[in-house]
Amino acid sequence: MGLESEGDKSSDFNTYNAKAKMDNGREGLRGWLNPTRYGWERVSYWLQRLTGVGLLLYFIGHVYETSSLVNGIDAWNSMLELTQTTGGHIFLMLVIGASTFHTVNGIRLIFTESGLGLGKPGRPDYPYDATSLNYKQKSGIWVALLLAAIAMFYGGLVMFGDAS
Amino acid sequence: MSEEQNKIKLRVYRTNYSNDYSPRFDEYDIAVKRWTTVLDALLDAKAYSDSSIAIRYSCRMASCGSCGMKINGKPRLACYTKISELNSHTIVCEPLANFPRIRDLVTDFSQFFAHHKKIEPYVHNENVPTEVSNNDDLVEFKQTPEEVDKYLQFSYCIKCGLCYSACPTVATDAKFPGPQALSQAYRYMADNRDDGEKKRFKIIDERHGIWRCHFAGSCSNVCPKGVDPALGIQLLKGHLMGVSKHDKKIARVRTKEE
Amino acid sequence: MRRTSFKMTLLKLRESQIMKIHYLTGICAVFFVAIHILFRVVMPFGQSLEYQNVIANYHNIYYVVLLELILIFVSIHGFNGLRIILLELKQSDRWESIMTILVLAAMIGIIAYGTRTIIVGSGL
Amino acid sequence: MTETLSYDILIVGSGLAGLRAAIAAASKHKDLKIAVLSKVQVMRSHSVSAEGGTAAVLYDNEGDNLESHIYDTIKGSDFLADQDVAERLVNSIPKEIIQLDRWGMPWSRRENGRIDQRKFGGYSFPRATYAQDKVGFYEMQTLYDTCLKFDNISFFNEWFCTSILHEGNNFQGFTCIEMKSGDFYNIVAPAGIICTGGAGRIFSFSTYAYSSTPDGLDMAFRAGIALKDMEFVQFHPTGILPSGILITEGARGEGGYLINSDGERFMKKYAGEKLELAPRDVVSRSMITEIQNGRGFKHITGVDCLKLDLTHLGEERIKEKLAGIREIGIKFSGVDVINEPIEVRPVCHYMMGGIHSNLNGATEFNGLWVAGEASCNSTHGANRLGANSTSECLVWGTITGELAASYAQKKKNSSINIDNQQYLLEEKRIYDGIFRGRGDVNPYEIKKTMTDTMDAKAYVYRNENDLAEGLRKIRSLKELSWKHVNDQAKEYNTNFINVMEIDSMLRVAEVVLMGALNRRESRGAHSRIDYPVRDDNNFLKHTLAYYDGDKGPRMGWHPVVFTRYAPVERKY
Ligand SMILES: Cc1cc2nc3c(=O)[nH]c(=O)nc-3n(C[C@H](O)[C@H](O)[C@H](O)COP(=O)(O)OP(=O)(O)OC[C@H]3O[C@@H](n4cnc5c(N)ncnc54)[C@H](O)[C@@H]3O)c2cc1C
Ligand code: HEM
Ligand code: SF4
Ligand code: F3S
Ligand code: FES
């Protein structure tokens, strides 16, 4: 045995890639697509992503939609008609809900991820309740959900009320 | 006085990754008492039903971190989970998610340990030698109980990997250090004997570093030791953001007379 | 692969700096989008979307600046969000640099495309 | 073909002793390549369970002194300790405490920022240095984290060592199995340190981790090194039922009471001065006497027990200083110690005996040292004082690590030629003898019967009949056809490991019983009702046991080293 290969045997070397045969066991996308197991914070994480991606898609669509402006009134109106259907209204309601949730929860997250509103570390006493999963945080999520629901409801009223 | 006995079904995930991939579940009927833990039940199955169950365990008192596994869908310590508290007649044991699998319930921790090592989890101090070499050095750091409390919680970590297994970012990102390693970075930063935060900030403020935590909180949700890694990580981010002010005074060693 | 100097500076940004930008653009977006939506509410919703009303808005220089800022901020925020998700999905240097470039390109594309609408619409 | 790896120093065991030795060696010579092998992963070793404290003299300005710690240790040992060794322990440990502090150990502190200490059994001063009630855990964490500083330490996690390679009396290496792949390896080095810890799993009711089996002891034993003083097994007064998990002595150190079914603090009858804080052997014997006199409680499992009362300490004190045992009580016993007393019973806790070694931790082989609980350099004699064991691990970890480093440095360039015969024989022993063995007796049942036998026959009080019967039972178990492994897979075969462990347990259990039979006196933890007094004329000497094939051990004696203290009667 030469000296070079010896290091590889010890466990602190990263054998992860070398043993390609081993199942890497990662949950993959299923990991974050399933928000049900670990409490509200996980739901927030999941929704923040979904709404973020959703809003991005909407935003791209929206920029495209408004670009019909340059092609004159007919192009604009035919574009606008797409949203004046029931389906279009429901879609817009979802966008309203998504943006409300994403915004409100996003503002909470900006505080949280800057270490604010989480409580202080201290001696944990059994049974252990994590201070970071406190009610301030949870209510932030609930408020975001609630506001999103209200916004969707209001938006629905406006749009469907307007259409009739 | 005799205790009532209950029968439960233990469903154990079985496979050997070097030979064949096709996993299956084996079922064992186990008699349990009020205090029987999942580990007890598994060892019972191993001793009397099927000795080929591969399982990792040692202390049986939730201090070594060996026996992490997914029990009824959630990462838990087998020795710390009583069957009676699961409220179920079927107990499903699977290997921890997000770890490469070796066999049955046993997973490979080398990458997890490597992440821990990478954040340089030891005291850096420029002014006080960390090695005590002569007897003049026989003086300790001065650190009050309040200063201990600032990091103590994070040193409860037994490296069981449950948090790593629950975290949704770890589920896809192999380079993300994970809640365990990141909370240890905070542990040393909060310890006033250490002045190595500049170095550690450099290590974790990376593309796949601390910012890939989006406060899913699942790590703190499953941690059996009350470490609350999510808290440490967010507090650390606060420092990186420049929001939290840095008022740590590096401890000095006491003088001989004190 | 040769790196352009632009990309070099981007690569030199610490992730914490990028996240600061992410949060800042997020917060700014709250205000701007709020104003943008308020414009929808000053008159009945359907009416506000009529062509001449929209064009009229576009001729208001403050509104144009607002729109342009929304466009830039939301693009940066949104596409950085996308970049984050993509980074976490798969780890290899190749994937990461391709995705960074693609996301950057898409972001610039959208900003450019939106800016064209704004410029033409405002009749500048 | 068996692969051979080579290093400069091999350390078996990543407990406190092993990690401390690794750091000592790595910092002494930076270019030595050090391998730490362990059958469990790092931070999984039994040492993480140590709870109460590490004894050291820190406050000589407040009345403590080294002399007193030395004398307490020797008196605690019932004068069987080698006195030069005890002196070495006491003189070296304060430095280790400070060293750990520099490395980041979260010692519990006094208000003024200095390290705090608590009372512990058998000491005349509060000198158990503590960190809540997770001392061993924090020490392990601190040492492991510090190890990561050194690039020349490589960890071999989950490598099971099976035997020592040697050429005559010169150490050459170990044979081991990498559990993950199931491959068999030789690892050679000029120097080795055995830190495989205690063997308390040869008892059923035990505070030890499941991994604390005597395979390390057995490995040395089979290679021809003596095991010393194995009959001295410490029974800790307070293990909870039914699991045997420990309630630290720190609970009594903080002021806990032991009570019998009359609600009486019975220790005043047995140790009027020190009460609950008498040494463990004294307290355990008192408890069994109480139980035998009908003043015990019955646990729901039907086992006799007594109660440990902490309720008067108050919620705040318990949460701050005994958080871990509160958790253990609630989780594993269903009792919150803040509100009610907890049921306890003497439980196998420590092995004073181990691999025969001298003041420096050197064994009978050149180039091989031993440290920690696996060693018997005779610090603890017939009874260890609480908190002296982690001290021993740290002190001899350092000593052996440094000695091994110097030795390896000298031998760095000489090559090692191992004798093929040896590892072929070992391969034959474990693969033909065990892995491919045949039989119809379930090895796990053998283990259960054996450990139950030890519980019944070699507990706190012993006598000739019981011991002889126990020995007969163990020998008859050895005869049965249980050496077979049902699991024929190569990878991560814990069944195979378990059977090898059981093999070593039977051999070492036999040594314990033989030693206990031969020692016809009561000394420290070894208490014979048929010979109730200490007999300094005949037995003031260490027991040695050498391997002698399947016939069972060959017994011998070894003198005790005295420096300053003549044996006197022990009173507390
Ligand atoms: C519950 C409990 C509480 C305690 N509390 C205290 C206390 O408060 N104060 C005190 O001073 N002492 C205490 N002790 C005693 C003390 O913890 C131990 O004596 C000490 O930790 C032993 O450390 P060690 O390093 O020698 O061995 P261990 O920590 O037992 O480590 C043994 C190592 O050897 C490895 N090993 C074993 N066999 C093999 C093999 N064949 N191949 C490869 N590797 C192998 C194991 O994997 C492990 O890594 C306590 C003990 C118990 C059980
Ligand atoms: C209006 C105010 C907004 C605020 C306050 C805000 C805030 C945030 C915050 C805090 C995050 C989480 C970052 C993290 O956890 O690391 C985030 C993610 C994201 N946002 Fe926004 N955002 C806003 C608007 C938008 C808009 C309009 C879009 C769409 C174009 C968008 C797209 C995204 C995307 C794609 C993510 C990534 C999701 C993730 O990283 O998990 N956001 N936002
Ligand atoms: S932080 Fe908690 S869950 Fe994670 S490894 Fe440490 S103890 Fe386990
Ligand atoms: S679960 Fe993961 S995303 Fe963050 S808060 Fe915990 S590390
Ligand atoms: S066996 Fe040690 S944590 Fe469960």
Side-chain angles (χ1 to χ4, degrees):
Chain A
M1 269 299 300
L3 280 174
E4 307 82 61
S5 61
E6 286 160 14
D8 302 342
K9 297 290 176 200
S10 79
S11 314
D12 39 53
F13 277 79
N14 193 345
T15 51
Y16 181 69
N17 292 322
K19 293 244 159 151
K21 252 190 118 184
M22 212 151 44
D23 180 337
N24 80 12
R26 297 213 179 242
E27 278 195 324
L29 273 180
R30 274 177 304 139
W32 73 262
L33 284 179
N34 172 4
T36 55
R37 285 171 295 175
Y38 305 106
W40 285 102
E41 291 77 11
R42 184 70 168 249
V43 175
S44 136
Y45 167 93
W46 174 74
L47 269 181
Q48 186 73 3
R49 284 220 146 162
L50 282 190
T51 53
V53 177
L55 287 174
L56 181 62
L57 291 178
Y58 167 75
F59 173 71
I60 296 171
H62 187 62
V63 171
Y64 176 71
E65 181 199 16
T66 46
S67 76
S68 60
L69 200 67
V70 299
N71 299 329
I73 185 159
D74 295 336
W76 173 261
N77 282 341
S78 64
M79 225 13 145
L80 209 56
E81 263 166 36
L82 284 177
T83 57
Q84 308 291 44
T85 60
T86 313
H89 283 157
I90 291 177
F91 175 73
L92 276 184
M93 272 174 68
L94 281 178
V95 171
I96 292 170
S99 56
T100 313
F101 177 83
H102 189 93
T103 306
V104 178
N105 195 42
I107 291 170
R108 174 188 72 96
L109 277 176
I110 290 173
F111 283 104
T112 312
E113 301 201 20
S114 307
L116 305 171
L118 285 158
K120 275 218 288 272
R123 181 194 73 210
D125 287 331
Y126 185 84
Y128 305 123
D129 294 317
T131 34
S132 70
L133 310 181
N134 56 25
Y135 276 92
K136 248 191 257 166
Q137 297 298 330
K138 287 199 212 305
S139 11
I141 302 168
W142 295 331
V143 166
L145 284 170
L146 196 72
L147 288 180
I150 294 174
M152 279 169 82
F153 183 70
Y154 178 73
L157 271 188
V158 171
M159 282 185 295
F160 286 105
D162 216 51
S164 58
Chain B
M1 205 165 40
S2 80
E3 267 284 302
E4 62 171 307
Q5 289 214 345
N6 256 327
K7 281 260 181 214
I8 54 133
K9 246 192 196 17
L10 193 64
R11 278 170 65 79
V12 183
Y13 180 95
R14 305 298 306 276
T15 187
N16 182 341
Y17 275 88
S18 312
N19 296 337
D20 70 294
Y21 292 85
S22 52
R24 63 173 198 279
F25 280 95
D26 280 353
E27 287 199 356
Y28 309 97
D29 291 316
I30 310 282
V32 297
K33 301 202 177 90
R34 199 173 46 135
W35 54 81
T36 307
T37 61
V38 174
L39 181 66
D40 294 337
L42 280 165
L43 291 179
D44 187 324
K46 186 171 172 63
Y48 302 108
S49 307
D50 180 352
S51 45
S52 68
I53 301 173
I55 166 179
R56 181 184 279 140
Y57 58 93
S58 176
C59 71
R60 61 84 174 82
M61 54 187 277
S63 57
C64 76
S66 301
C67 63
M69 60 182 71
K70 213 154 68 176
I71 298 168
N72 286 4
K74 243 181 129 171
R76 305 176 216 250
L77 295 178
C79 68
Y80 203 48
T81 309
K82 276 183 288 192
I83 304 245
S84 52
E85 66 198 31
L86 287 170
N87 290 325
S88 162
H89 280 279
T90 314
I91 309 293
V92 187
C93 301
E94 294 164 274
L96 279 182
N98 299 346
F99 288 91
R101 292 167 186 182
I102 297 174
R103 195 180 160 192
D104 299 352
L105 301 172
V106 178
T107 50
D108 183 353
F109 269 61
S110 46
Q111 204 181 31
F112 175 80
F113 288 136
H115 279 310
H116 174 73
K117 178 172 179 172
K118 224 173 114 191
I119 58 125
E120 305 196 349
Y122 35 83
V123 170
H124 297 59
N125 196 314
E126 283 183 354
N127 299 316
V128 182
T130 46
E131 315 300 321
V132 181
S133 38
N134 55 36
N135 281 345
D136 291 345
D137 284 343
L138 278 184
V139 282
E140 71 268 36
F141 279 107
K142 287 191 72 138
Q143 191 174 51
T144 60
E146 294 72 38
E147 285 161 343
V148 174
D149 275 349
K150 287 190 175 147
Y151 67 87
L152 189 66
Q153 149 174 28
F154 302 100
S155 51
Y156 272 37
C157 171
I158 57 173
K159 300 186 179 64
C160 61
L162 299 193
C163 54
Y164 196 76
S165 171
C167 175
T169 303
V170 176
T172 54
D173 192 340
K175 291 186 183 164
F176 177 56
Q180 189 274 336
L182 289 171
S183 61
Q184 291 312 300
Y186 183 77
R187 176 242 180 274
Y188 280 97
M189 196 193 86
D191 187 336
N192 67 353
R193 290 168 290 189
D194 175 271
D195 65 7
E197 56 251 19
K198 284 229 175 58
K199 273 189 97 178
R200 256 178 241 117
F201 280 173
K202 246 201 161 110
I203 299 170
I204 56 177
D205 192 2
E206 267 288 315
R207 206 186 255 181
H208 291 282
I210 189 164
W211 298 100
R212 299 293 80 85
C213 161
H214 309 280
F215 193 56
S218 316
C219 46
S220 299
N221 186 299
V222 298
C223 176
K225 285 280 150 188
V227 174
D228 200 353
L231 174 65
I233 300 174
Q234 314 317 318
L235 292 176
L236 204 49
K237 283 182 187 164
H239 284 281
L240 284 167
M241 274 283 156
V243 175
S244 314
K245 59 178 186 311
H246 208 72
D247 56 357
K248 181 170 91 176
K249 278 204 199 61
I250 303 300
R252 60 178 180 86
V253 291
R254 88 182 148 89
T255 56
K256 276 266 180 199
E257 295 73 45
E258 269 180 279
Chain C
M1 196 173 38
R2 259 187 61 230
R3 285 175 177 154
T4 62
S5 63
F6 172 62
K7 204 175 152 219
M8 280 301 279
T9 34
L10 263 192
L11 286 176
K12 272 196 211 129
L13 278 183
R14 297 249 113 216
E15 203 65 28
S16 56
Q17 292 167 312
I18 301 181
M19 288 315 280
K20 270 184 203 152
I21 298 173
H22 190 80
Y23 294 159
L24 250 137
T25 48
I27 292 174
C28 294
V30 182
F31 290 109
F32 300 158
V33 173
I35 301 172
H36 179 63
I37 291 174
L38 278 180
F39 269 71
R40 302 281 83 80
V41 193
V42 289
M43 52 186 103
F45 180 65
Q47 210 179 329
S48 78
L49 288 175
E50 275 162 31
Y51 186 67
Q52 47 282 32
N53 288 332
V54 176
I55 288 289
N57 280 340
Y58 270 71
H59 284 275
N60 176 343
I61 182 71
Y62 295 108
Y63 189 67
V64 168
V65 173
L66 176 77
L67 280 185
E68 184 64 26
L69 285 178
I70 292 183
L71 181 65
I72 293 173
F73 281 13
V74 173
S75 301
I76 292 178
H77 179 91
F79 281 103
N80 184 48
L82 185 65
R83 179 193 69 104
I84 292 172
I85 296 177
L86 291 172
L87 278 187
E88 288 173 13
L89 224 52
K90 187 169 172 322
Q91 293 76 48
S92 74
D93 290 345
R94 208 176 124 77
W95 165 269
E96 284 172 23
S97 36
I98 292 178
M99 284 308 139
T100 313
I101 292 169
L102 273 185
V103 167
L104 268 175
M107 182 180 94
I108 293 166
I110 284 288
I111 294 179
Y113 190 71
T115 311
R116 185 193 70 125
T117 313
I118 294 172
I119 291 175
V120 175
S122 65
L124 279 175
Chain D
M1 189 38 218
T2 311
E3 249 187 88
T4 303
L5 313 176
S6 69
Y7 276 82
D8 295 318
I9 299 178
L10 300 177
I11 297 172
V12 187
S14 56
L16 273 178
L19 294 179
R20 187 65 190 88
I23 299 177
S27 49
K28 176 131 190 166
H29 289 293
K30 300 249 184 295
D31 50 349
L32 288 176
K33 285 171 58 209
I34 297 157
V36 180
L37 306 146
S38 175
K39 66 176 176 180
V40 298
Q41 294 170 319
V42 283
M43 290 294 292
R44 314 284 190 233
S45 299
H46 159 71
S47 291
V48 295
S49 307
E51 296 173 355
T54 298
V57 175
L58 294 184
Y59 288 104
D60 27 20
N61 55 341
E62 290 174 19
D64 200 2
N65 60 67
L66 298 171
E67 185 82 21
S68 154
H69 188 183
I70 297 171
Y71 188 67
D72 286 345
T73 304
I74 292 170
K75 184 175 167 201
S77 82
D78 226 346
F79 296 92
L80 194 69
D82 284 353
Q83 300 189 351
D84 54 342
V85 181
E87 285 173 22
R88 184 90 177 253
L89 172 85
V90 172
N91 291 331
S92 317
I93 185 64
K95 181 174 161 213
E96 294 297 326
I97 301 284
I98 305 297
Q99 178 63 80
L100 280 172
D101 177 59
R102 298 284 179 88
W103 283 336
M105 172 88 186
W107 292 120
S108 289
R109 302 280 174 160
R110 296 180 172 183
E111 281 307 325
N112 68 1
R114 291 197 59 186
I115 298 173
D116 201 10
Q117 296 191 304
R118 65 160 55 121
K119 288 186 196 157
F120 239 63
Y123 292 112
S124 22
F125 196 86
R127 62 169 80 93
T129 323
Y130 69 103
Q132 292 189 301
D133 52 0
K134 302 173 179 229
V135 176
F137 175 73
Y138 288 136
E139 287 175 343
M140 283 285 285
Q141 184 180 63
T142 307
L143 291 177
Y144 171 58
D145 281 359
T146 304
C147 276
L148 299 178
K149 253 200 311 210
F150 296 95
D151 291 329
N152 52 343
I153 302 177
S154 310
F155 286 101
F156 287 69
N157 291 334
E158 304 195 317
W159 284 55
F160 184 86
C161 293
T162 68
S163 75
I164 298 178
L165 294 167
H166 57 103
E167 180 196 43
N169 273 352
N170 292 315
F171 168 80
Q172 289 185 313
F174 296 102
T175 56
C176 6
I177 296 174
E178 181 190 27
M179 287 167 69
K180 187 162 94 182
S181 67
D183 294 335
F184 187 69
Y185 287 92
N186 295 317
I187 303 199
V188 299
I193 307 173
I194 297 184
C195 312
T196 51
R201 273 290 150 189
I202 57 175
F203 287 78
S204 280
F205 190 56
S206 160
T207 60
Y208 282 85
Y210 285 124
S211 61
S212 290
T213 52
D215 21 71
L217 302 183
D218 181 51
M219 198 159 79
F221 184 51
R222 271 186 286 113
I225 301 175
L227 298 184
K228 186 161 69 182
D229 286 343
M230 289 301 291
E231 64 272 28
F232 295 106
V233 178
Q234 177 165 82
F235 294 90
H236 192 291
T238 54
I240 61 167
L241 296 158
S243 56
I245 293 173
L246 178 78
I247 299 292
T248 171
E249 187 163 312
R252 282 171 285 136
E254 294 294 337
Y257 302 152
L258 283 168
I259 50 174
N260 63 18
S261 56
D262 299 339
E264 176 195 18
R265 271 183 84 181
F266 58 86
M267 278 311 295
K268 62 178 186 278
K269 291 184 285 195
Y270 304 93
E273 197 184 320
K274 289 234 168 353
L275 295 159
E276 281 87 357
L277 287 175
R280 291 171 179 172
D281 56 334
V282 178
V283 181
S284 288
R285 274 196 297 274
S286 314
M287 289 173 75
I288 297 296
T289 309
E290 283 296 300
I291 288 173
Q292 282 170 351
N293 292 340
R295 289 189 292 272
F297 296 89
K298 269 252 184 287
H299 185 255
I300 43 174
T301 44
V303 182
D304 294 309
C305 58
L306 290 156
K307 285 193 181 181
L308 174 67
D309 189 356
L310 303 177
T311 50
H312 56 283
L313 297 182
E315 176 162 347
E316 194 40 40
R317 180 103 171 261
I318 290 178
K319 283 186 172 169
E320 186 181 327
K321 301 208 161 147
L322 300 168
I325 69 129
R326 173 166 173 261
E327 180 183 344
I328 288 170
I330 296 175
K331 196 76 189 185
F332 296 103
S333 213
V335 171
D336 187 341
V337 293
I338 292 177
N339 306 322
E340 29 171 341
I342 188 166
E343 287 145 322
V344 292
R345 178 183 166 83
V347 55
C348 168
H349 180 67
Y350 188 83
M351 300 239 137
M352 269 66 76
I355 298 169
H356 179 31
S357 65
N358 67 10
L359 180 62
N360 289 328
T363 63
E364 293 161 282
F365 280 7
N366 301 320
L368 183 64
W369 285 264
V370 49
E373 196 174 337
S375 73
C376 180
N377 48 27
S378 304
T379 340
H380 307 308
N383 174 57
R384 167 180 77 101
L385 291 186
N388 252 350
S389 163
T390 45
S391 306
E392 183 206 345
C393 291
L394 294 169
V395 169
W396 271 275
T398 312
I399 295 174
T400 56
E402 284 176 357
L403 289 174
S406 310
Y407 184 87
Q409 187 72 4
K410 265 188 266 145
K411 297 254 171 173
K412 209 166 179 342
N413 296 320
S414 51
S415 67
I416 299 173
N417 290 314
I418 47 171
D419 174 9
N420 286 355
Q421 208 50 39
Q422 259 181 45
Y423 72 74
L424 289 177
L425 269 176
E426 178 63 10
E427 242 180 336
K428 207 162 127 60
R429 181 183 80 90
I430 59 176
Y431 285 103
D432 293 343
I434 295 177
F435 190 64
R436 284 185 280 273
R438 268 172 217 291
D440 46 9
V441 183
N442 181 350
Y444 293 96
E445 264 165 32
I446 294 289
K447 176 172 155 192
K448 176 113 196 15
T449 318
M450 169 189 59
T451 56
D452 286 349
T453 307
M454 294 301 284
D455 270 7
K457 307 294 180 197
Y459 196 43
V460 175
Y461 282 116
R462 302 161 169 184
N463 65 51
E464 182 92 28
N465 277 347
D466 278 0
L467 291 168
E469 203 178 307
L471 189 60
R472 260 200 308 284
K473 183 83 198 161
I474 300 287
R475 288 193 169 148
S476 71
L477 290 177
K478 273 173 97 176
E479 302 303 314
L480 297 177
S481 60
W482 54 272
K483 274 196 200 176
H484 58 99
V485 178
N486 284 350
D487 180 7
Q488 288 292 312
K490 227 173 133 228
E491 297 78 17
Y492 214 92
N493 192 330
T494 35
N495 188 200
F496 184 24
I497 302 288
N498 288 160
V499 180
M500 284 192 281
E501 286 171 350
I502 295 167
D503 183 40
S504 72
M505 286 161 95
L506 283 168
R507 247 190 308 277
V508 170
E510 194 178 343
V511 174
V512 172
L513 291 172
M514 291 272 287
L517 265 174
N518 279 0
R519 190 173 280 278
R520 293 190 181 80
E521 62 158 352
S522 289
R523 179 186 297 274
H526 173 69
S527 172
R528 294 270 304 250
I529 41 183
D530 40 358
Y531 300 94
V533 287
R534 194 171 83 195
D535 179 356
D536 285 339
N537 293 332
N538 295 312
F539 292 104
L540 190 51
K541 54 192 178 185
H542 301 296
T543 308
L544 291 185
Y546 284 96
Y547 182 62
D548 198 8
D550 281 339
K551 288 202 299 279
R554 178 162 47 80
M555 308 301 287
W557 302 101
H558 190 74
V560 178
V561 178
F562 288 90
T563 56
R564 285 182 283 176
Y565 308 97
V568 293
E569 197 198 340
R570 252 169 112 220
K571 270 218 191 88
Y572 287 96

